[in-house]
């Protein structure tokens, strides 16, 4: 089975995440895309991150209607912080017969040399890279040459920080996240979300 590994903070999961995951699945013939919320993101140790349980539930809500998307609670049982290579090894130990593809943005690719064991990552999984403004997919690191494949998806500048900023301002996030996520955010008052944002009819 060909499995795409789509890790992220998902704080919250939004429509750009969904578009990237579906584009990767369709283009590369992936049997499933496993969404893996980071338990303790190593590159965001200086930031306030929403509780893992909420991010996990929002991820489940975001992909519930897709038969080939799976939300995995795997990093909560692994050492902290949540290094990608540890996650990949844990999954390969459980499912050694699968072929793995790691879905990342070109912004992450540009800084892959700062990740834990980048050479090991590309030995264990091919990289499926989606474009982000300001980051060139052409890379000079020799160990990446045969491992990088471009995802043909529209470039979207949408980030979780923008969604959160709108909610902090009491503004609508309709169409930036799917309805189940919007309802979950409102129900649990995440990011200072006003309850009426999930129930208005405008």
């Amino acid at each position: 089975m060909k499995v795409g590994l789509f890790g992220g903070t998902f704080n919250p999961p939004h429509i750009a995440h969904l578009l990237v995951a579906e584009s990767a699945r369709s283009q590369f013939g992936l049997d499933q895309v496993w969404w893996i919320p980071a338990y303790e993101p190593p590159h965001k140790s200086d930031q306030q991150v929403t509780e893992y349980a909420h991010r996990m539930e929002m991820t489940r809500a975001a992909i519930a209607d897709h038969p080939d998307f799976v939300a995995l609670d795997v990093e909560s049982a692994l050492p902290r912080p949540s290094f990608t290579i540890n996650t990949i090894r844990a999954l390969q130990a459980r499912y050694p017969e699968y072929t793995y593809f790691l879905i990342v943005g070109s912004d992450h690719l540009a800084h892959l040399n700062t990740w834990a064991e980048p050479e090991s990552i590309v030995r264990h999984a091919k990289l499926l890279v989606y474009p982000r403004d300001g980051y060139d997919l052409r890379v000079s690191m020799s160990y990446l040459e045969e491992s990088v494949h471009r995802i043909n998806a529209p470039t979207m500048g949408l980030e979780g920080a923008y969604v959160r900023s709108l909610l902090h301002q009491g503004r609508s996030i309709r169409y930036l996240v799917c309805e189940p996520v919007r309802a979950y955010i409102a129900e649990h008052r995440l990011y200072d979300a006003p309850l009426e944002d999930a129930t208005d009819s405008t």
Side-chain angles (χ1 to χ4, degrees):
M1 188 161 79
K2 296 168 64 176
V3 176
L5 304 179
F6 192 23
T9 311
F10 301 131
N11 189 30
H14 48 67
I15 60 167
H17 292 133
L18 291 163
L19 177 61
V20 165
E22 177 63 4
S23 297
R25 186 203 62 79
S26 177
Q27 181 181 344
F28 295 96
L30 304 179
D31 296 292
Q32 291 186 337
V33 175
W34 294 353
W35 292 56
I36 306 171
Y39 189 85
E40 186 179 303
H43 288 85
K44 298 186 179 181
S45 58
D46 60 339
Q47 301 177 27
Q48 184 71 30
V49 177
T50 302
E51 183 181 342
Y52 175 76
H54 283 310
R55 293 185 288 110
M56 189 75 231
E57 288 306 314
M58 285 190 289
T59 300
R60 290 187 175 119
I63 67 174
D65 65 348
H66 198 302
D68 299 321
F69 287 174
V70 178
L72 285 190
D73 179 4
V74 59
E75 293 197 350
S76 61
L78 297 178
R80 317 298 193 254
S82 303
F83 290 127
T84 297
I85 186 57
N86 292 339
T87 303
I88 293 174
R89 284 174 174 151
L91 293 174
Q92 287 186 320
R94 294 186 196 179
Y95 312 103
E97 70 277 18
Y98 294 173
T99 301
Y100 293 95
F101 298 79
L102 182 64
I103 301 171
V104 298
S106 55
D107 51 339
H108 296 136
L109 183 70
H111 302 291
L112 191 67
N113 62 321
T114 68
W115 292 22
E117 301 184 50
E119 295 90 347
S120 295
I121 290 175
V122 298
R123 281 200 304 269
H124 290 285
K126 291 181 175 16
L127 301 184
L128 306 184
V129 183
Y130 56 91
R132 297 293 299 268
D133 284 335
Y135 294 92
D136 196 332
L137 286 183
R138 292 172 295 182
V139 295
S140 58
M141 291 175 281
S142 59
Y143 64 88
L144 292 180
E145 290 178 358
E146 301 298 322
S147 302
V148 176
H149 304 275
R150 180 190 176 97
I151 300 172
N152 295 324
T155 302
M156 298 184 68
L158 180 60
E159 296 182 346
Y162 177 67
V163 177
R164 297 193 302 272
S165 73
L166 291 179
L167 288 166
H168 288 319
Q169 298 170 55
R171 295 172 58 188
S172 174
I173 59 168
R174 188 185 293 273
Y175 307 126
L176 295 178
V177 301
C178 62
E179 278 302 298
V181 172
R182 194 167 72 106
Y184 185 94
I185 289 171
E187 178 184 355
H188 295 274
R189 311 291 295 205
L190 302 181
Y191 319 114
D192 301 321
L195 182 62
E196 56 269 22
D197 185 51
T199 57
D200 64 5
S201 58
T202 58

